[in-house]
Amino acid sequence: MTLARLAPAIFVLLWSTGWVVAKYAAFFADPLTFLVLRYTFAILLFIGFCVVTGARWPRSWATIGHAIVSGMFLHGLYLGAVWWAIGQGVPAAISGIIAGLQPLMTAAVAPLLINENLTRQQQVGLVLGFFGIALAVLPKMVAIDTAATPIEILPVVVNVLGMAAVTYGTLYQKRHLQNGDIRAIATLQYAGALIVTVPLALALEDLHVTWNLQLVGALAWSVLGLSMGAIALLLYLIRRGQVSRAASLIYLVPPLAAVQAALFFGEALTLPMIVGTIIAVAGVYLTNRKTARPAPSGDRAGSAAAG
């Protein structure tokens, strides 16, 4: 099988492990501080990877600037907002619902920013995917005891802003970084992420880190599996096809993370979660299914399906 067919499945599998990593890492480091460590090691490893593999660095300052700005949104503001919000008590169920807003946000804004329109089938697929996510996590949301665990509005708003940031970053990536070596672009994006995350960590946290094997393991997987593996695949999918199709894969992340939580933490895997996952998969299939209609002129160069 080709990378084009395998990339979506591999991306979802890798990215879904971020929920497990976040749960482990929170015991040993402040969330933003952990992200600073993650981005720093990712930059160092990407630089070494670029040198060994002969990656071509951008020659124009405009491309360098675009890569840094996209990284500020894709990584710095997005992960910083989500991890901080979860650290402030936003339940994973609510965070999962908010994550389901990203594909809908992307589909709504894409026609305005990059002239990318969806077919009726793709629109139905996006709505169906969100409905599946809602069905999967709604029972958990209802079961939340807000009296015992109050949910503050600010962290929820920050979580939503994180989804808006990654939506804009994805569209920005599609519009300004269609060319260039992905390895070099990814390196510069993590530099942009540090520009955002370091000041936030200094302002909001005590920079607490407890170094042990568990933290090193979580950090290693975050860097190698997520920051290098999953993000490289995401950039590949964005460049190859419609951003709405790539974003629709996010629907599969919360259900798969729930399965992993059941395996690693013994959390219950309920019937609504199973049914919701099936519906979400159907939505992603409709969104990514190839159609005979030619792509819009603004996206014709990279209109192949993401999966």
Side-chain angles (χ1 to χ4, degrees), residues 4-5 8 237 240-242 245 287-291 302-307:
R5 291 185 177 275
L237 291 169
R240 178 177 170 80
Q242 290 179 306
R245 287 173 169 172
T287 307
N288 288 274
R289 183 184 179 189
K290 292 182 180 180
T291 60
S303 61

Side-chain angles (χ1 to χ4, degrees), residues 7 29 34 53 64 77 107 170 174 190 195 220 224 226 282:
F34 182 86
T53 58
I64 294 173
L77 292 174
T170 301
K174 180 70 174 182
Y190 282 117
I195 291 175
L224 298 174
L226 299 173

Side-chain angles (χ1 to χ4, degrees), residues 67-118:
I68 291 175
V69 170
S70 66
M72 293 171 70
F73 284 93
L74 278 175
H75 308 310
L77 292 174
Y78 163 53
L79 285 180
V82 173
W83 280 50
W84 181 84
I86 293 176
Q88 294 298 308
V90 175
I94 292 180
S95 185
I97 276 285
I98 295 174
L101 294 175
Q102 187 206 338
L104 297 178
M105 288 182 182
T106 302
V109 180
L112 301 176
L113 296 185
I114 59 175
N115 193 32
E116 177 180 289
N117 296 303
L118 297 182

Side-chain angles (χ1 to χ4, degrees), residues 213-281:
L213 286 178
Q214 291 92 333
L215 177 70
V216 171
L219 186 60
W221 180 250
S222 293
V223 173
L224 298 174
L226 299 173
S227 293
M228 299 190 72
I231 291 300
L233 287 171
L234 178 61
L235 299 183
Y236 169 79
L237 291 169
I238 293 172
R239 179 173 294 185
R240 178 177 170 80
Q242 290 179 306
V243 292
S244 298
R245 287 173 169 172
S248 71
L249 297 172
I250 300 299
Y251 284 144
L252 301 180
V253 172
L256 190 54
V259 173
Q260 294 171 6
L263 293 175
F264 293 105
F265 302 118
E267 296 184 7
L269 194 60
T270 64
L271 180 60
M273 293 172 62
I274 297 173
V275 174
T277 299
I278 294 173
I279 294 175
V281 169

Side-chain angles (χ1 to χ4, degrees), residues 133-159:
I133 290 296
L135 179 61
V137 303
L138 189 58
K140 284 193 173 184
M141 291 182 63
V142 174
I144 294 173
D145 186 354
T146 55
T149 308
I151 301 173
E152 298 182 7
I153 188 63
L154 179 59
V156 174
V157 171
V158 170
N159 201 326

Side-chain angles (χ1 to χ4, degrees), residues 161-237:
L161 291 177
M163 290 303 106
V166 73
T167 298
Y168 180 77
T170 301
L171 295 168
Y172 190 96
Q173 165 88 19
K174 180 70 174 182
R175 183 174 184 178
H176 296 290
L177 294 168
Q178 276 295 91
N179 300 307
D181 195 305
I182 290 181
R183 295 164 292 184
I185 295 297
T187 307
L188 293 169
Q189 285 179 329
Y190 282 117
L194 276 180
I195 291 175
V196 172
T197 312
V198 169
L200 290 176
L202 291 173
L204 300 175
E205 296 180 346
D206 297 326
L207 307 182
H208 164 71
V209 178
T210 301
W211 289 100
N212 52 37
L213 286 178
Q214 291 92 333
L215 177 70
V216 171
L219 186 60
W221 180 250
S222 293
V223 173
L224 298 174
L226 299 173
S227 293
M228 299 190 72
I231 291 300
L233 287 171
L234 178 61
L235 299 183
Y236 169 79
L237 291 169

